[in-house]
Amino acid sequence: MLVTPMLAGCGLHPMYAGGGNGAVARGLADVQVSAIEGRAGWLVRNALVDELGSGKGGTAPRYRLDVRLDDKLEGFALLSNDTIGRERRTLRARYQLVNVSSGEVVLDATAGSDAGIDVVSSDYATIAAEQTALENLSKDVASRIVTSVALRLRGDTVQ
């Protein structure tokens, strides 16, 4: 196929080259995720641990990932009867990747995502939609964090 030689010629390299034994995958497995406060924190931490494969290396972690979350739920779109017709849930994360041995902050960044929620006449349906939005946002933010960490570790480990 013609695409493969063209990609190799432009300097693109697969991030996860080598699969589970590659440098980036091993680096991600060496990241310990600190506890994060609240329900959103629990969801984000679990998603991070799942995506990073934390603890699979069998050795002491080289890095620690510290995350602080800001979870906001705000109403907008007033209806003619002065009730809220739509909500916006926003989940923002400030995270730092810290080298455990030196205490040096290797990466300091933010990630975030938001979702719109229709407010309906059923309180149960609205609460369920808010919770589902939080679960989806948690996975999305965790995925963004892992991608950023992987890119940083790739820069540290692959030249």
Side-chain angles (χ1 to χ4, degrees):
M1 190 166 203
L2 184 58
V3 175
T4 306
M6 288 178 13
L7 286 177
C10 73
L12 291 177
H13 304 284
M15 184 167 13
Y16 295 105
N21 294 323
V24 173
R26 285 192 320 268
L28 290 176
D30 284 343
V31 176
Q32 173 191 7
V33 182
S34 299
I36 309 170
E37 290 184 29
R39 184 179 194 308
W42 181 79
L43 290 167
V44 170
R45 185 180 185 284
N46 284 345
L48 285 168
V49 168
D50 287 347
E51 283 200 41
L52 290 168
S54 297
K56 290 183 181 175
T59 60
R62 287 182 51 198
Y63 301 100
R64 183 184 73 242
L65 185 62
D66 298 327
V67 181
R68 284 190 322 235
L69 293 178
D70 182 24
D71 178 23
K72 288 187 181 175
L73 182 63
E74 55 190 353
F76 65 100
L78 287 177
L79 301 176
S80 60
N81 61 356
D82 288 334
T83 60
I84 295 173
R86 192 138 172 88
E87 293 177 331
R88 177 180 177 190
R89 184 154 216 161
T90 306
L91 186 62
R92 302 278 180 252
R94 165 95 189 269
Y95 58 95
Q96 293 181 324
L97 184 65
V98 180
N99 185 315
V100 173
S101 61
S102 69
E104 173 191 4
V105 175
V106 177
L107 175 65
D108 186 353
T110 60
S113 191
D114 61 84
I117 302 164
D118 287 327
V119 177
V120 295
S121 60
S122 166
D123 288 342
Y124 175 78
T126 301
I127 291 169
E130 291 169 355
Q131 294 304 314
T132 300
L134 179 59
E135 291 168 9
N136 293 335
L137 292 173
S138 297
K139 291 175 187 173
D140 186 44
V141 167
S143 180
R144 291 171 189 262
I145 292 172
V146 169
T147 300
S148 178
V149 168
L151 288 170
R152 179 65 181 125
L153 293 177
R154 183 178 129 188
D156 284 348
T157 59
V158 178
Q159 299 301 323

